[in-house]
Amino acid sequence: MDLSTLIRKNILNLKPYSCARDEFKGEASIFIDANESPFDTSINRYPDPLQKELKEVIAKIKNIPSENIFLGNGSDEPIDLAYRVFCEPGIDNVTAIDPTYGMYKVCADINNIEYRNVTLSNEYHLRSEKILEKVDNNTKIIWICSPNNPTGNLLDENEITKILNSFNGIVIIDEAYIDFAQQDSWITKLPNFKNLIVLQTLSKAWGCAAIRLGMAFASNEIINVLNKVKYPYNINILTQQQALIQLSKIEKTKENISYILQQREILSNELKHISIVEKVYKSDSNFLLVKVKNANATYNYLAQNGIIVRNRNNITLCDNCLRITIGLAHENEKLIASLKTFAANC
Ligand SMILES: *Cc1c(COP(=O)(O)O)cnc(C)c1O
């Protein structure tokens, strides 16, 4: 696969903005090159445009070289950048599964890229041959979200491999929830696939949704082109500092993950015994997709009692489904109590 044929011509030829921090590399004591304020407010200097220190920490945790890491303002940034790098507006298209995470379509619409999708099987399985049938010469990206949002399940490894092997474009696997799944990340397969981008985030298992830090892992060639197109200082210093602090708490994070997994098991079992619950789908993430008799009525009842879940009733294959994030034990207990009261009065 020749990546340069997948990259838009204007991006391939782009001479990126060269910032002061890029031009000089080395030791110095006086920095009067960037028109910053010389007065120390602790935030008067521009941050590292390539976030080297942070990437080295992530590289160790993820067991991948720094040069294969891109950091963005949430996962949203690499999602949007993928369109801007690979897809020619009004000409190219992408293919995704349905239902899945909403940002792939929003970013397609913003960038004026045709968005094609293929409905998952009734059991929420990926059907690689149906995806590949949608592909033509202008299909540049296939989006795969695994574990998938809102269905919660991991998608089959063999089906994904078939797509990676047959598709002459970029395959993006969004692993926002991988820390809650009993399966290795696709990061381990990056050396085998030059067209693979894996997305992860600090927003879920790492508990850092507020700082906005998304990660993309890919071949050095893909990382370089993402760096060329991003805003020069896309990750601010406060985010870089907080991320370093949170990433140092690996043991605590592992503890929190196993807490969530235990609660997921408890909540899932409790839900199955409530009369208005029709089905609790298997989850590899930090939420449960739950089919109830009447999603709108259940949603409204819970909201009146101060409990907000996500109503997915109008989404493909999710009729009467609620998406419920695993909370703390006392929150989950309140949810169960509330649902039991509602069921008793139905
Ligand atoms: C929550 C979520 C993300 C995370 O997005 P951030 O911008 O990193 O907060 C990414 N992908 C999916 C599928 C998600 O559900």
Side-chain angles (χ1 to χ4, degrees):
M1 164 158 323
D2 184 4
L3 262 181
S4 61
T5 60
L6 285 173
I7 299 167
R8 292 167 68 201
K9 286 250 151 45
N10 59 313
I11 301 299
L12 207 55
N13 299 330
L14 178 73
K15 192 178 175 308
Y17 176 73
S18 164
C19 53
R21 287 291 169 274
D22 276 336
E23 236 159 54
F24 177 80
K25 293 195 176 92
E27 290 295 313
S29 56
I30 297 179
F31 284 98
I32 44 179
D33 59 344
N35 297 346
E36 297 153 338
S37 166
F39 304 107
D40 185 3
T41 60
S42 82
I43 50 171
N44 56 315
R45 299 292 175 184
Y46 280 104
D48 176 1
L50 291 172
Q51 313 98 23
K52 280 206 201 65
E53 188 186 358
L54 183 50
K55 279 181 187 166
E56 270 161 31
V57 170
I58 293 171
K60 281 214 184 82
I61 293 173
K62 301 290 175 185
N63 195 21
I64 186 176
S66 276
E67 62 180 32
N68 298 113
I69 305 174
F70 170 87
L71 300 180
N73 184 337
S75 306
D76 300 336
E77 184 177 1
I79 291 169
D80 184 55
L81 279 179
Y83 285 104
R84 293 165 65 200
V85 165
F86 298 109
C87 302
E88 200 60 46
I91 295 173
D92 288 333
N93 67 73
V94 303
T95 300
I97 55 174
D98 188 30
T100 195
Y101 186 46
M103 276 306 281
Y104 316 140
K105 167 121 177 41
V106 171
C107 289
D109 290 344
I110 290 170
N111 287 288
N112 192 23
I113 306 299
E114 184 197 344
Y115 184 87
R116 304 174 174 184
N117 57 23
V118 173
T119 307
L120 293 171
S121 76
N122 287 334
E123 294 296 310
Y124 300 148
H125 294 313
L126 176 65
R127 299 179 294 177
S128 62
E129 78 286 355
K130 301 261 184 222
I131 300 257
L132 293 167
E133 275 168 22
K134 290 267 175 174
V135 165
D136 63 22
N137 285 336
N138 290 317
T139 307
K140 295 297 167 70
I141 298 173
I142 294 177
W143 292 99
I144 294 172
C145 185
S146 177
N148 188 34
N149 180 2
T151 59
N153 59 315
L154 277 165
L155 300 181
D156 187 80
E157 239 182 299
N158 295 325
E159 291 296 295
I160 296 178
T161 305
K162 277 186 214 161
I163 292 173
L164 276 163
N165 283 327
S166 331
F167 177 53
N168 275 320
I170 302 292
V171 178
I172 305 184
I173 305 180
D174 186 342
E175 293 187 333
Y177 301 99
I178 192 66
D179 301 301
F180 303 104
Q182 308 301 120
Q183 186 182 293
D184 281 348
S185 164
W186 280 88
I187 288 179
T188 57
K189 312 253 172 55
L190 277 173
N192 308 344
F193 301 106
K194 266 179 80 176
N195 58 335
L196 172 61
I197 301 178
V198 178
L199 300 182
Q200 292 187 9
T201 179
L202 293 202
S203 295
K204 307 285 157 64
W206 287 95
C208 304
I211 68 171
R212 313 305 303 130
L213 195 85
M215 304 172 276
F217 305 95
S219 68
N220 189 227
E221 282 165 281
I222 292 179
I223 299 300
N224 286 344
V225 69
L226 292 175
N227 281 334
K228 222 164 88 155
V229 178
K230 77 178 182 73
Y231 291 160
Y233 303 107
N234 61 327
I235 310 294
N236 72 68
I237 192 74
L238 304 177
T239 293
Q240 294 192 41
Q241 288 167 346
Q242 274 300 317
L244 284 170
I245 292 170
Q246 296 305 318
L247 287 166
S248 72
K249 302 178 191 167
I250 295 183
E251 285 314 310
K252 184 68 196 157
T253 302
K254 282 186 184 159
E255 246 175 65
N256 290 348
I257 291 169
S258 51
Y259 179 96
I260 297 289
L261 296 185
Q262 272 173 8
Q263 287 296 316
R264 184 176 79 192
E265 185 68 19
I266 294 169
L267 187 59
S268 171
N269 287 331
E270 292 271 345
L271 285 166
K272 284 173 189 163
H273 293 111
I274 299 176
S275 63
I276 56 162
V277 172
E278 308 244 290
K279 179 158 187 174
V280 181
Y281 288 90
K282 180 187 182 307
S283 171
D284 300 297
S285 50
N286 68 336
F287 59 86
L288 291 170
L289 189 70
V290 182
K291 194 183 191 83
V292 294
K293 291 219 165 82
N294 183 335
N296 293 343
T298 310
Y299 174 88
N300 288 335
Y301 179 83
L302 289 173
Q304 280 159 15
N305 287 278
I307 300 173
I308 312 303
V309 298
R310 193 94 152 116
N311 188 352
R312 300 283 76 185
N313 185 35
N314 291 320
I315 304 275
T316 309
L317 295 180
C318 295
D319 282 352
N320 281 316
C321 286
L322 302 174
R323 195 193 69 191
I324 302 175
T325 309
I326 312 298
L328 296 172
H330 76 270
E331 297 173 318
N332 303 332
E333 283 157 16
K334 272 215 168 125
L335 168 76
I336 293 296
S338 206
L339 283 173
K340 280 183 178 163
T341 310
F342 179 60
N345 294 313
C346 266

